[in-house]
Amino acid sequence: MTSATAFPMGSLWQQYYALTKPRVVQLIVFCALIGMVLAVPGLPDGSQLMLGFWGCVGIWLVAGAAAAFNCLVEKSIDAKMKRTAWRPTARGVLSDRQALVFSAVLCIFGSAILYVLVNPITMWLTFATFVGYAIIYTVILKPLTPQNIVIGGASGAMPPVLGWSTMTGDVGPEALILFLIIFLWTPPHFWALALYRVEDYRKSGLPMLPVTHGNEFTRLQILLYTVVLLAACLMPFVYGMSSWLYLFFAVVLSLGFMGYGWALWRNYSDALARKTFRFSLIHLSVLFAALLVDHYLF
């Protein structure tokens, strides 16, 4: 069954929804929401709530557009990997034209919402993030260099900046600190995944670090990045963005990530790499949640 028309309408819409990588986009919007909240002293008023709402909608649409474009470009690669073979473009459920039109529509509507209902700078920053992820990272960097995750991580680190600009109309140092945290978090997060999915990446032909430089080198890089990440996670407290509550969670979570990195470096197993990857998701989610709670309590 290769034609999208062979699916019932409900199922067809589910295929389109799957193209947006919902779990990834949810994390993106959550990180953008943190940026919005931190940009507003105290509780937001009605107009700020509406601004934040439309900011989340616009960012969600453009992020979904970037994800759909990524699925289109990488459909042949996705088809070779167990982790991604289920995607509609990889299975041929949706055609290239359908995926491209869907991506374009989401991007246009999302950009229009941000420009008209939020502010132009957020629209341009979000569109630049789309180009960075969908074109620079997916088309150019990912198949070219094992540093693809490091360089391309700049796009993934943008959500808090987009949230901050949504509420303020500019980019402050606080937003850049949040950007730095996600930027440094991204490589150990993805490399942990790549370690236990190395055969998939080797078959796909992508020059991921475990494929080009080996397992041991990648494990060392994960450990070193978690050390630098710990320092970055302390910056909100040092800069005065947060209190001791956030500092407690930042230290505990970052030491935990370092602990996984150390254990992975000393004695590798696929099971430990999976645990490291899963903990990295907990690390970022709880860290930003702690920053949010701290903002309102102190």
Side-chain angles (χ1 to χ4, degrees), residues 46-177:
S47 61
Q48 290 171 328
L49 285 173
M50 287 304 300
L51 194 63
F53 170 77
W54 288 117
C56 287
V57 171
I59 292 168
W60 187 93
L61 289 171
V62 178
F69 190 83
N70 172 270
C71 290
L72 169 62
V73 173
E74 295 191 340
K75 66 174 186 175
S76 59
I77 295 173
D78 287 344
K80 300 175 184 177
M81 301 175 64
K82 293 179 182 178
R83 183 173 66 90
T84 55
W86 60 270
R87 289 175 179 167
T89 42
R91 292 187 293 117
V93 174
L94 295 176
S95 68
D96 291 0
R97 182 175 180 275
Q98 287 173 311
L100 182 61
V101 170
F102 179 65
S103 175
V105 169
L106 289 185
C107 187
I108 291 170
F109 272 94
S111 297
I113 287 172
L114 293 174
Y115 189 90
V116 176
L117 300 177
V118 181
N119 56 62
I121 187 172
T122 301
M123 187 280 287
W124 287 115
L125 286 172
T126 306
F127 183 72
T129 303
F130 172 88
V131 173
Y133 176 76
I135 307 297
I136 298 175
Y137 168 68
T138 301
V139 177
I140 301 174
L141 292 176
K142 196 169 183 179
L144 184 65
T145 170
Q147 293 298 311
N148 45 28
I149 291 299
V150 177
I151 305 169
S155 295
M158 281 296 290
V161 179
L162 304 180
W164 190 278
S165 68
T166 293
M167 307 307 292
T168 66
D170 63 10
V171 176
E174 298 91 343
L176 296 180
I177 289 174

Side-chain angles (χ1 to χ4, degrees), residues 162-236:
L162 304 180
W164 190 278
S165 68
T166 293
M167 307 307 292
T168 66
D170 63 10
V171 176
E174 298 91 343
L176 296 180
I177 289 174
L178 301 178
F179 170 91
L180 180 63
I181 290 173
I182 300 179
F183 180 75
L184 293 173
W185 169 88
T186 301
H189 163 73
F190 273 103
W191 285 335
L193 170 68
L195 280 173
Y196 68 85
R197 293 287 190 180
V198 64
E199 291 306 318
D200 271 354
Y201 283 112
R202 186 173 283 115
K203 291 176 184 177
S204 72
L206 291 174
M208 296 299 289
L209 197 65
V211 176
T212 60
H213 288 69
N215 181 291
E216 185 175 354
F217 181 82
T218 303
R219 286 150 49 199
L220 177 60
Q221 294 302 304
I222 290 174
L223 175 59
L224 294 176
Y225 263 91
T226 58
V227 173
V228 179
L229 177 61
L230 169 61
C233 289
L234 300 180
M235 290 183 68

Side-chain angles (χ1 to χ4, degrees), residues 265-285:
W265 180 58
R266 295 289 294 175
N267 188 23
Y268 177 80
S269 70
D270 282 355
L272 185 55
R274 286 188 179 91
K275 290 179 181 178
T276 304
F277 173 75
R278 290 167 186 161
F279 184 81
S280 69
L281 293 171
I282 296 171
H283 175 278
L284 188 66
S285 300

